Amino acid sequence: MKVVLKNLTKKFPNRNKKGADVIAVNNFDFEIPDGKLIGLLGPSGCGKSTALNLICGLLKPTEGKIYFGDSDVTDLPPEKRGVGLVFQNYALYPHLNVRQNITFPLENLKGKNKMKKEERLKKAMEVAKLVQIDELMDRKPSELSGGQQQRVAIARALVKMPNVLLLDEPLSNLDARLRLQTREEIKRIQNETGITTIFVTHDQDEAMSISDLIIVMKDGVIQQIGAPQGVYDEPENLFVAKFLGTPPINVFDARVENEKLIIGDAAVFDVPGVADGEVVAGIRPEGFIIDKNGPLSCSLKGIEVMGRDISIISSHNASQNPTVRSIVMSDKELDISGTAVRFSLRKGKVFIFDKETEQRIKF
Ligand code: ADP
Ligand code: MG
């Protein structure tokens, strides 16, 4: 089911009386297509949970409307919206076993939705199979690992076949390997059920890897919406460029003169059509090509071999960060010695931004 947000805003009064309201969600206006997995991505405190709680009905908006399909659900309580919710802490009932935890949402269905016991157990088994915990049905939550507990929580959210599945940082309590595995599982489960899913995370890797669309937000305001690769390749502003990518984009104080990008005193890249002036330049780590005649000269600080590729750590006076990180394939013959390393730059990996507005200047 598609989810449509119209001018959705949530303000919280500031506890300090003189302070202005906190606008946790500022004028969200977009449509989430049916059957897709959406990554809602932004730093801690940017309003992700508030947005999710508005969509599920735990919070009332200050302004705006929410539609599921064509029906206005803005004033419906959470239990009438048909949403499945999963939070960071799994919030399972400790005294119930896995089977009972999963069937719990089915116990109190009324009227035409009322389910017989066999039906409830059948349904629970179906979703347990889907999240691969069907062998663990008799265990209590305390007898499960974190990853297994989170699967139970997902099964419980799915058992009523919700219109929309909402996941708020569901992997944060898992260790790195399990996080990787569980996020793939979530993608698979979403694919198999086709339930429109909103996945909240502050981890760009996580959002990029499983989402059909990502929504990048900052301070309650949406910065960009698009397919992960599209947003990575075409960031609309400096915040988005910095937020996506590991290692992060390298940022330089720079200027444009005669359609050339100047870093330090070297013309490093052609920027046709861009007016002269000071700018901020961003270069993705994979945008550097080792080239002894290249225009950008950095001081070499170290090399990290990472197996598949090599990370070259250097510095440059105009860099906004203490180090410049570039990634080159390890199968290349590397001829780096001495104290300097020179680079030429790869097309499509160099961005420039207005110094004041931080909006991208395209060329
Ligand atoms: P995120 O989930 O992205 O970390 P939240 O949605 O939890 O962010 O919070 C967004 C902003 O709204 C923060 O500044 C937070 O302090 C504020 N906020 C959240 N809930 C409340 C509340 N109930 N009362 C007042 N301020 C709140
Ligand atoms: Mg949150």
Side-chain angles (χ1 to χ4, degrees), residues 211-277:
S211 307
D212 297 310
L213 280 178
I214 55 170
I215 300 177
V216 185
M217 60 183 294
K218 174 196 174 200
D219 298 337
V221 179
I222 290 179
Q223 306 291 306
Q224 193 164 348
I225 302 180
Q229 191 68 48
V231 177
Y232 182 82
D233 289 340
E234 301 284 345
E236 279 170 18
N237 62 41
L238 184 58
F239 175 82
V240 173
K242 281 178 166 176
F243 202 73
L244 300 187
T246 35
I249 197 164
N250 298 284
V251 181
F252 297 86
D253 296 317
R255 60 186 198 281
V256 172
E257 269 176 34
N258 301 323
E259 304 189 323
K260 301 261 187 231
L261 177 65
I262 317 281
I263 294 179
D265 49 17
V268 298
F269 210 67
D270 288 338
V271 288
V274 179
D276 287 3

Side-chain angles (χ1 to χ4, degrees), residues 45 47-50 88 168-169 200:
K48 303 180 297 295
S49 293
T50 304
Q88 176 179 341
D168 194 351
E169 312 232 15
V200 162

